[in-house]
């Protein structure tokens, strides 16, 4: 059937809601990447199998939903019981029977499976009370964990395609652009450019053809917000694109998905087919005469393809290399036609803004930084996973409340934001508001939203070295400042980390960085020196310790550390002796052991093996 | 026509004409290593960067590559501001680390006061400055026999899979256009070797001296509608010119085809 009017959409939804009411319980099994990896597929199968045999009033096999990422990946696999909002963590197949018996057939909470506060060890059963969720505001990620990604009915039931219907049936393209402009929605891909202005300039260009493009490339290591949305809620991306296309007057859209995300491609493809089937995409959408065909492009996965000019060349089937252009892509983009390019998260916000209005959106967030931002929180933090917070939330709240503080309560050192070409913020920045402008002022950036928490055992020279090496290999190599400049920065960082650096090297790196920023052709090169620039400005002491004292304070840089056994603590258990592959440790049972520094390769195996914390790193 | 100011002098330029052309016409020396008349601008070497601003920009400046920036009304360009000079020097410093033995680079660097790189020379340096002129010329000729392979620091010019390129016709355009003469070829009168492929050379009916490769002649007579006899005369002394004639013919016939 096709939906051809607002009334039909409303009736269709009513039917879905009514049908849903008949289910008294729902079992939401997370099928996000983290949970799938820890076996959630077997869990949902087990639920289906057991429910098929059992008879529970109001609960059919339909009650089992394979949802997108619940985001608390640290505790995967996750299962939630609705409508009670019970959250079960680290669920095993053998727990299924008990969950069905107690929480599905009955109303009991299984305490063993719920989240326990790491400090008080108190059991916290429901979503809104788990600190990881408590401080979040989920807009772009609103449907993750709540609906089945591969079922358009689920999306429509929770209000999906309402935004598109409102835009197409009740607004003019100008109205839509106005609303988006007023909402102050800024590009979530990292640039933070106002989406409304982008759409308006694209519409203003004389042209018979225009395009909308969605950047689903997400090359940052460790970042997976866009992936989670494309896999877990593909329709929101499509709906956002329908609204954008209507606003600018485009009839073709492209989603560029990186090769490493096959499930995103599959789910998007399914979503496109379903939406076209219902007349919500394709020809004559909602009977309005407006048409949009959306195509999926699989990117070859080069980091630089996230760069807009490279991405468009890649979509058009050329080598994805940035092009120096002084004509913006809103004027001359894909196939030289006016093109609007936004990322996944940006599009995911669009339907909500249209439905709820610009004012509602600007009421969330910080001044000039309306709305929320999704991050993938990883590193030395207790709770890793996908989060979304209002702009203006402090780093402290993110790291200590949502993230639950540092692993083993080690001292906090810094947090890296904005992906490889982002920067590292220090402890003194913990109370900064996390938004586009503040992060940039302090030498970091929003980027696409990676957030890596670091403790006192992270060496900042090493961090700079790591990200530079990533960028050296991801640079396309077209322009010299990026290709050769980052290469030399990396070499100098290596020299410092090995104790071969001088203070002049720091100056040299600073000057070179300035030139790389000034001279590079595309955004990759222009932000490439950031890992160095932000670490040198916030952690200069650590660089100096490597240079002047030939010491790595964090105990990371191999060339500069020594392992020593503390005879007071060592009880001579010989665990380290068997762990050491090069036989550098000697000693007799119950007598303190010693390390032969000549032989030691500083692999750290002994430290890991010692149960008494007797091996110190200097 | 638009009016703009370059280094304090008011000049006229065709609207949309690239700044580098206007600058060169004025006799101002701005280095440009990846620029070549026969092909589209590329913007890879960054040496031609200049500073631009406008009265109406309220003090806001931008740094752009002159080879790619179109002349605009009221633009104020400076080609040798302090920042730009320092940028060029750093770029040449980086070039020297990559191509320490390349005369072209040594000369340009010396003009900017650099005789040795201040960085670490890369392992196994060679003379390719990765300007992409060869690959662009080859594309322009319609062969695309060679391309840039690998990204990042490992980038190099190479035929597909580092094998003798099947699409190559041995026209030498790449080697002739290469500013550092990095691309080597060998002619022995009867055959030509380039990119590890050996081509048979046709001979000039008048002088008995070699002309062009059989493959190139066949390609041109087939695709460019040139009479077969065209290739029976020698043009060795003007090979450089031949190349540009060919490039021009190629482009001309491509536009004709489109019509
Ligand atoms: S000689 Fe071969 S590689 Fe060089 S331009 Fe001619 S066809 Fe291309
Ligand atoms: S081979 Fe020559 S023309 Fe080709 S990129 Fe290298 S230096 Fe430039
Ligand atoms: S000539 Fe190389 S960037 Fe302009």
């Amino acid at each position: 059937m096709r939906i051809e009017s607002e009334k039909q959409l409303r009736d269709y939804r009513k039917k879905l809601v009514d049908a849903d009411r008949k289910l008294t319980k729902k079992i939401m099994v997370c099928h996000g990447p983290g949970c799938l990896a820890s076996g959630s597929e077997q869990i949902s199968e087990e639920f289906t199998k057991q429910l098929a045999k059992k008879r529970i009033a109001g609960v059919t096999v339909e009650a089992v939903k394979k949802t997108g990422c619940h985001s608390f990946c640290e505790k995967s696999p996750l299962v939630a019981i609705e409508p009670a909002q019970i959250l079960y963590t680290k669920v095993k197949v053998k727990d299924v029977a008990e969950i069905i018996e107690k929480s599905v057939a009955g109303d009991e909470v299984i305490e063993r499976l719920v989240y326990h506060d790491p400090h008080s060890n108190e059991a916290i059963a429901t979503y809104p009370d788990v600190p990881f969720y408590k401080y979040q505001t989920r807009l772009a990620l609103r449907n993750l964990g709540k609906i089945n990604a591969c079922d358009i009915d689920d999306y429509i039931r929770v209000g999906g395609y309402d935004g598109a219907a409102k835009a197409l049936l009740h607004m003019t393209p100008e109205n839509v652009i106005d609303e988006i402009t007023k909402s102050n929605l800024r590009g979530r891909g990292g640039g933070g450019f106002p989406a409304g202005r982008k759409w308006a300039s694209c519409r203003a260009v004389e042209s018979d053809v225009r395009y909308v493009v969605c950047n689903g490339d997400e090359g940052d290591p460790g970042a997976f917000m866009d992936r989670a949305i494309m896999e877990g809620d593909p329709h929101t991306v499509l709906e956002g694109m329908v609204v954008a296309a209507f606003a600018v007057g485009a009839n073709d859209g492209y989603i560029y998905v990186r090769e490493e995300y096959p499930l995103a491609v599959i789910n998007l493809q399914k979503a496109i087919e379903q939406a076209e089937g219902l007349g919500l995409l394709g020809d004559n959408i909602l009977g309005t005469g407006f048409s949009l065909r959306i195509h999926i492009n699989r990117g070859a996965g080069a980091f630089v393809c996230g760069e807009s000019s490279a991405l468009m060349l890649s979509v058009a089937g050329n080598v994805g290399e940035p092009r120096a252009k002084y004509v913006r892509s809103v004027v001359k983009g894909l196939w030289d036609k006016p093109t609007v390019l936004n990322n996944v998260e940006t599009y995911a916000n669009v339907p909500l803004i249209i439905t709820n209005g610009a004012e509602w959106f600007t009421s969330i967030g910080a001044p000039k930084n309306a709305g929320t931002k999704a991050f993938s929180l990883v590193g030395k933090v207790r709770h890793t996973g996908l989060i979304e917070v209002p702009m203006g939330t402090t780093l402290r709240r993110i790291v200590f409340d949502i993230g639950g503080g540092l692993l083993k309560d080690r001292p906090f050192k810094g947090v890296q934001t904005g992906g490889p070409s982002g920067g590292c913020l220090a402890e003194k920045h913990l109370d900064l508001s996390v938004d586009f402008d503040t992060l940039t002022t302090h030498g970091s950036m929003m980027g696409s939203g990676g957030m890596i928490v670091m403790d006192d055992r992270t060496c900042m020279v090493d961090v700079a070295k790591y990200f530079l090496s990533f960028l050296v290999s991801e640079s396309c190599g077209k322009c010299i400042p990026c290709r050769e400049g980052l290469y030399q920065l990396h070499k100098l960082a290596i020299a410092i980390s090995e104790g071969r650096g001088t203070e002049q090297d720091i100056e040299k790196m600073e000057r070179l960085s300035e030139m790389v920023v000034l001279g590079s052709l595309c955004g990759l090169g222009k932000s490439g020196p950031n890992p160095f620039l932000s670490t040198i400005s916030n952690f200069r002491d650590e660089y100096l310790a490597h240079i002047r004292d030939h010491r790595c304070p964090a105990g990371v840089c191999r060339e500069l550390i020594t392992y020593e056994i503390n005879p007071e603590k060592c009880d001579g258990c010989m665990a380290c002796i068997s762990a050491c592959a090069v036989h550098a440790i000697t000693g007799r049972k119950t007598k303190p052991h010693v390390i032969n520094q000549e032989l030691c390769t500083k692999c750290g195996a002994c430290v890991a093996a010692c149960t008494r914390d007797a091996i110190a790193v200097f | 026509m638009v009016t703009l100011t370059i280094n304090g002098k008011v000049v006229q330029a065709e609207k949309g004409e690239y700044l580098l052309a206007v600058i060169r016409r004025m006799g101002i020396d701005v280095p440009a290593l990846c620029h070549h008349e026969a092909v589209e601008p590329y913007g890879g070497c960054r040496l031609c960067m200049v500073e631009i601003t406008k009265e109406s920009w309220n003090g806001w400046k931008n740094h752009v590559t002159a080879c790619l920036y179109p002349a605009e009304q009221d633009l104020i360009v400076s080609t040798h501001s302090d920042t730009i000079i320092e940028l060029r020097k750093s770029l040449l410093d980086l070039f020297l680390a990559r191509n320490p033995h390349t005369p072209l680079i040594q000369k340009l660097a010396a003009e900017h006061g650099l005789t040795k790189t201040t960085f670490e020379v890369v392992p196994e340096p060679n003379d390719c400055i990765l300007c992409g002129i060869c690959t662009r010329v080859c594309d322009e000729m319609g062969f695309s026999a060679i391309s840039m392979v690998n990204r990042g620091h490992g980038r190099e010019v190479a035929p597909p899979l580092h094998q003798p390129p099947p699409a190559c016709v041995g026209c030498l355009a790449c080697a002739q256009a290469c500013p550092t003469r990095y691309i080597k070829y060998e002619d022995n009168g009867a055959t030509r070797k380039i990119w590890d492929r050996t081509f048979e050379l046709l001979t000039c009916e008048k002088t008995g001296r070699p002309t062009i490769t059989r493959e190139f002649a066949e390609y041109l007579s087939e695709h460019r509608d040139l009479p077969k006899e065209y290739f029976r005369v020698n043009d060795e002394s003007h090979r450089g010119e031949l190349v540009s004639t060919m490039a021009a013919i190629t482009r001309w016939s491509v536009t004709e085809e489109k019509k």
Side-chain angles (χ1 to χ4, degrees), chain A residues 300-304 321 323-327 472-481 483-485 487-488 491-492 500 508 511-512 514-516 518-522 526, chain B residues 42-46 49 62-66 68-70 83-84 86-88 90-91 94-95 97-98 117-123 129-130 148 150-155:
Chain A
F303 183 64
V304 74
E321 236 167 58
R323 198 164 49 152
K325 34 164 208 158
Y326 298 111
V327 188
V472 168
S473 56
E474 291 298 322
S475 156
C476 82
K478 177 172 177 172
C479 78
I480 283 69
R483 186 187 67 228
E484 305 300 329
Y487 171 85
Q488 296 292 356
K491 285 277 169 234
L492 289 162
R500 295 184 282 112
K508 198 164 160 187
R511 241 179 307 126
L512 178 58
E514 222 180 287
M515 292 304 131
V516 173
L518 176 72
S520 291
L521 188 161
C522 83
K526 284 189 180 304
Chain B
Y42 182 65
C45 77
R46 318 303 287 166
M49 279 185 101
N62 198 4
H63 295 90
V64 299
T65 44
L68 270 165
Y69 200 91
T83 320
I84 288 292
E86 196 188 335
L87 173 68
R88 281 192 199 128
S90 309
L91 293 174
L94 291 169
F95 266 118
R98 173 118 192 175
T117 177
T118 63
F119 300 110
E120 200 178 299
V121 171
V122 307
I129 57 171
L130 294 169
M148 290 284 178
N150 299 336
R151 59 173 183 248
H153 207 252
R155 192 172 170 96

Side-chain angles (χ1 to χ4, degrees), chain A residues 199-218:
Chain A
W199 296 12
S201 12
C202 179
R203 186 171 178 84
V205 181
E206 284 275 338
S207 178
D208 48 340
V209 181
R210 290 185 184 77
Y211 297 106
V212 286
V213 178
C214 173
N215 181 357
D217 186 58
E218 194 171 48

Side-chain angles (χ1 to χ4, degrees), chain A residues 364-412:
Chain A
I364 305 164
K368 295 205 179 120
N369 290 269
T372 55
K373 177 76 188 89
F375 293 97
S376 42
L377 185 63
V378 296
K380 299 287 178 59
V381 77
R382 212 171 248 126
H383 304 150
T384 57
L386 210 55
I387 63 164
E388 185 173 351
V389 290
M391 299 257 192
T393 303
T394 64
L395 276 172
R396 192 180 296 280
R397 167 124 300 168
I398 294 175
V399 174
F400 290 94
D401 295 334
I402 300 176
L406 277 87
L407 277 176
K408 300 192 183 142
D409 285 319
R410 297 199 69 90
F412 170 88

Side-chain angles (χ1 to χ4, degrees), chain A residues 16-42:
Chain A
L16 296 173
V17 172
D18 288 346
D20 194 66
R21 283 222 185 92
K22 295 200 185 101
L23 290 174
T24 55
K25 292 279 171 70
K26 276 192 267 179
I27 304 151
M28 322 296 266
V29 185
C30 177
H31 274 220
C35 289
L36 279 178
S38 41
S40 61
E41 187 121 47
Q42 287 88 301

Side-chain angles (χ1 to χ4, degrees), chain B residues 127-135 148 157 174 177-183 195:
Chain B
D127 277 340
C128 177
I129 57 171
L130 294 169
C131 63
I133 290 177
C134 53
T135 59
M148 290 284 178
V157 172
C174 56
C178 173
T180 65
R181 296 268 174 261
Y182 171 68
I183 300 174
W195 297 114

